[in-house]
């Protein structure tokens, strides 16, 4: 007999509690942290201070914390978040070493040692040590435009190889 069955009050109360819990969870304020974003374009090697940034709320753990003031390791566009990869110690070229801008893998940070392989099909390749001194704007989808200091006695060979497309960059010097 159907009319003698107990009403589903317990199931309805449980469904109502679940709905209230879900609504309360959706309406709670989102947890955020303040993170620095560039107020204007910042050149590589410039000091980044509190006047150069605008603090904006972002979800936690999106970017690692950045301590300011810091030195810009690469150019930073206006409005871009400032990350730990954008900041770092200033790196200068060894005395008398000229620098050349070439495309390198993205993890070539200032201070990284690299080996430049100069040569192609028509010549015996030579290796040239180099030091990444900074990054520049530009590059391609899978590489960044990076400035690398090279020994002065091999700088012309590196420049010619770069111009003719016979230059490769290896990380890890």
């Amino acid at each position: 007999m159907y009319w003698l069955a107990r009403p589903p009050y317990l199931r309805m109360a449980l469904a109502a509690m679940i709905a209230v819990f879900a609504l309360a969870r959706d309406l709670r304020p989102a947890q955020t942290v303040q993170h620095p974003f560039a107020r204007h374009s910042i050149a590589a090697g410039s000091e980044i201070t509190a006047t150069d940034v605008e603090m904006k709320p972002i979800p936690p753990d999106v970017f690692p914390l950045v301590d300011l003031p810091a030195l810009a390791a690469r150019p930073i566009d206006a409005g871009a978040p400032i990350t730990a990869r954008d900041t770092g110690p200033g790196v200068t070229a060894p005395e008398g070493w000229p620098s050349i801008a070439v495309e390198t893998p993205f993890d070539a940070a200032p201070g990284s040692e690299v080996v430049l392989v100069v040569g192609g099909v028509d010549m015996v390749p030579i290796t040239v040590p180099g030091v990444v001194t900074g990054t520049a704007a530009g590059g391609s989808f899978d590489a960044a435009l990076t400035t690398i200091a090279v020994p002065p006695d091999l700088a012309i060979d590196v420049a010619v190889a770069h111009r003719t497309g016979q230059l490769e960059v290896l990380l890890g010097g």
Side-chain angles (χ1 to χ4, degrees):
M1 300 203 174
Y2 181 69
W3 60 84
L4 294 180
R6 290 192 315 187
Y9 295 127
L10 188 58
R11 286 181 283 175
M12 291 188 326
L14 183 61
M17 286 176 31
I18 291 172
V20 167
F21 176 75
L23 183 63
R25 184 170 177 159
D26 283 346
L27 294 179
R28 73 178 179 180
Q31 184 180 10
T32 61
V33 295
Q34 295 292 321
H35 191 80
F37 285 74
R39 191 180 301 266
H40 54 81
S41 295
I42 301 171
S46 301
E47 185 177 16
I48 304 170
T49 62
T51 59
D52 297 319
V53 299
E54 178 182 352
M55 301 303 277
K56 294 182 180 180
I58 62 169
D61 300 327
V62 172
F63 299 117
L65 295 175
V66 177
D67 292 326
L68 295 178
L71 195 62
R74 66 183 75 236
I76 303 170
D77 294 329
I82 298 174
T83 64
R85 191 156 191 264
D86 295 326
T87 62
V91 177
T92 57
E95 186 67 33
W97 284 29
S99 293
I100 185 168
V102 297
E103 284 190 344
T104 58
F106 279 119
D107 51 358
S112 300
E113 293 183 5
V114 296
V115 174
L116 303 171
V117 179
V118 176
V121 178
D122 57 342
M123 67 180 280
V124 176
I126 61 170
T127 58
V128 178
V131 176
V132 176
T133 58
T135 57
S140 64
F141 178 72
D142 59 350
L145 194 58
T146 305
T147 55
I148 299 176
V150 295
D153 55 328
L154 298 170
I156 292 175
D157 294 332
V158 171
V160 170
H162 182 297
R163 185 76 166 162
T164 59
Q166 297 181 338
L167 180 70
E168 291 295 325
V169 180
L170 305 175
L171 289 177

